[in-house]
Amino acid sequence: MNIKQELTTVIKKAGLRMTPQRMAIYQLLADSHTHPSAQMIYQSLQAEFPSLSLTTVYNTLETLVELGLVNELGAVGPDGVRYDADTQPHVNLACLNCHKVIDLPSIYVSELNQEVAQNSGYQVRGSRVLYYGICPDCQEKGYV
Amino acid sequence: MNIKQELTTVIKKAGLRMTPQRMAIYQLLADSHTHPSAQMIYQSLQAEFPSLSLTTVYNTLETLVELGLVNELGAVGPDGVRYDADTQPHVNLACLNCHKVIDLPSIYVSELNQEVAQNSGYQVRGSRVLYYGICPDCQEKGYV
DNA sequence: ATTACTGCAAAAGATTTGCACTAGG
DNA sequence: CCTAGTGCAAATCTTTTGCAGTAAT
């Protein structure tokens, strides 16, 4: 299913309204692999969408997280909370030095997801499976 | 090994100094299962340690995370960043409604840890394996 | 005796709030 | 037409920073 249809379906099902802002923000998140913060999203959309406000970015991210379309990774370094539209089971890795966040495929996360969903009693909405440390590049540069 | 000795050993090995503040903060974290924020730690230690400052709590938490003694779970609800002194492999579960954070033992997290340590190329310092959703209590109260 | 650590006050920044206006259905 | 959603300005609150005094080794 394509991104636009998916968002529209979920939004409607929840009794919410489809707006150009929501579409642009979700599209950007789905296309990007940089795990952006609200600020980064806001800046990336400035050119294409000059009237967009930071408030709307925050509102929309909150909505998307509640709908389970986006995972909230928490803050990484000084850049604020990062978001990830890839809700497929995978691991995120953050560098404590350069604050880059990357994806790592994992054969165990799927099992972990199932384990949590079944054993916790929680109605799970999303997850933060994020490891932090020093990335290979920064290790080479002497940040150990 | 007991908590005090463990902290002293790691602190010394890193060339840092042992202080009553660091001991009190680490002790509190190790004893508590509430995954407190800096503010919560500060308030909890007020009675026992009136001269303690919030700045020192932040400094100490940063140090403990760098030493690998404490995991930073990221922000949960409006209470700021939460910390966990249990670095044994386990899963944290946060409620989107009441913001309680609990531990969930898991048979898969250990394998996940090893997988990440071995395949990522990162020098791993800590992790955030945190799922969020609605806890059983809040589900009963109608927050679905 | 050195210098890392603490604690205060002020600053910085991310996120939230209140409210009038706009636009989706 | 109705009300959810947007955008602006201001407020809030966590976290950071600079610096002088204190204490660990």
Side-chain angles (χ1 to χ4, degrees):
Chain A
M1 177 158 53
N2 85 55
I3 297 292
K4 297 197 178 189
Q5 285 179 357
E6 186 189 6
L7 180 60
T8 305
T9 306
V10 177
I11 287 271
K12 291 286 168 70
K13 190 173 292 179
L16 304 175
R17 291 178 184 173
M18 199 55 222
T19 68
Q21 290 90 336
R22 284 176 173 169
M23 182 57 78
I25 292 167
Y26 185 56
Q27 184 89 255
L28 180 80
L29 263 169
D31 290 345
S32 133
H33 286 203
T34 58
H35 313 79
S37 65
Q39 281 283 356
M40 295 169 188
I41 293 171
Y42 176 64
Q43 281 163 22
S44 302
L45 293 174
Q46 274 301 304
E48 175 194 339
F49 217 126
S51 75
L52 180 68
S53 73
L54 239 191
T55 305
T56 296
V57 177
Y58 279 108
N59 287 340
T60 300
L61 287 170
E62 187 182 353
T63 303
L64 293 174
V65 168
E66 279 168 7
L67 294 173
L69 291 171
V70 165
N71 279 344
E72 188 189 296
L73 301 181
V76 173
D79 299 322
V81 174
R82 305 286 202 97
Y83 294 87
D84 188 350
D86 183 358
T87 52
Q88 294 304 303
H90 71 282
V91 174
N92 292 114
L93 274 164
C95 179
L96 286 169
N97 185 248
C98 68
H99 309 128
K100 194 173 45 183
V101 178
I102 66 165
D103 295 313
L104 183 75
S106 161
I107 53 176
Y108 292 111
V109 195
S110 308
E111 330 237 29
L112 186 60
N113 279 9
Q114 287 179 26
E115 190 184 34
V116 173
Q118 286 169 17
N119 297 349
S120 65
Y122 273 53
Q123 186 191 98
V124 177
R125 289 283 168 77
S127 63
R128 263 173 213 175
V129 181
L130 182 139
Y131 284 72
Y132 44 90
I134 310 293
C135 74
D137 285 355
C138 287
Q139 283 178 52
E140 271 186 28
K141 291 173 191 156
Y143 297 97
V144 186
Chain B
M1 178 158 53
N2 82 54
I3 296 294
K4 297 196 180 189
Q5 286 180 356
E6 185 188 7
L7 178 61
T8 306
T9 306
V10 177
I11 287 269
K12 291 284 167 72
K13 189 173 291 176
L16 304 175
R17 291 178 184 172
M18 199 56 224
T19 68
Q21 290 89 338
R22 285 175 172 169
M23 184 56 78
I25 292 166
Y26 185 56
Q27 184 89 254
L28 180 79
L29 262 169
D31 290 346
S32 129
H33 284 206
T34 58
H35 313 80
S37 65
Q39 280 284 356
M40 295 169 188
I41 293 171
Y42 176 64
Q43 282 165 20
S44 301
L45 292 174
Q46 275 299 304
E48 174 193 341
F49 217 127
S51 74
L52 180 68
S53 72
L54 237 192
T55 306
T56 296
V57 177
Y58 278 108
N59 287 340
T60 300
L61 288 170
E62 186 182 355
T63 302
L64 294 174
V65 168
E66 279 168 7
L67 293 173
L69 291 171
V70 165
N71 279 344
E72 189 189 294
L73 302 181
V76 174
D79 300 322
V81 173
R82 305 287 201 93
Y83 295 87
D84 188 350
D86 183 358
T87 53
Q88 295 304 304
H90 70 282
V91 174
N92 292 113
L93 272 165
C95 179
L96 287 169
N97 185 246
C98 68
H99 309 128
K100 196 173 42 185
V101 178
I102 66 166
D103 294 314
L104 183 75
S106 161
I107 53 176
Y108 292 111
V109 194
S110 308
E111 330 236 30
L112 186 61
N113 280 6
Q114 287 180 27
E115 189 183 35
V116 174
Q118 286 169 17
N119 299 349
S120 65
Y122 273 53
Q123 188 192 98
V124 176
R125 289 281 171 77
S127 62
R128 261 175 215 175
V129 181
L130 183 141
Y131 284 73
Y132 44 90
I134 309 295
C135 74
D137 285 355
C138 288
Q139 284 178 51
E140 270 187 29
K141 291 173 190 154
Y143 298 96
V144 187

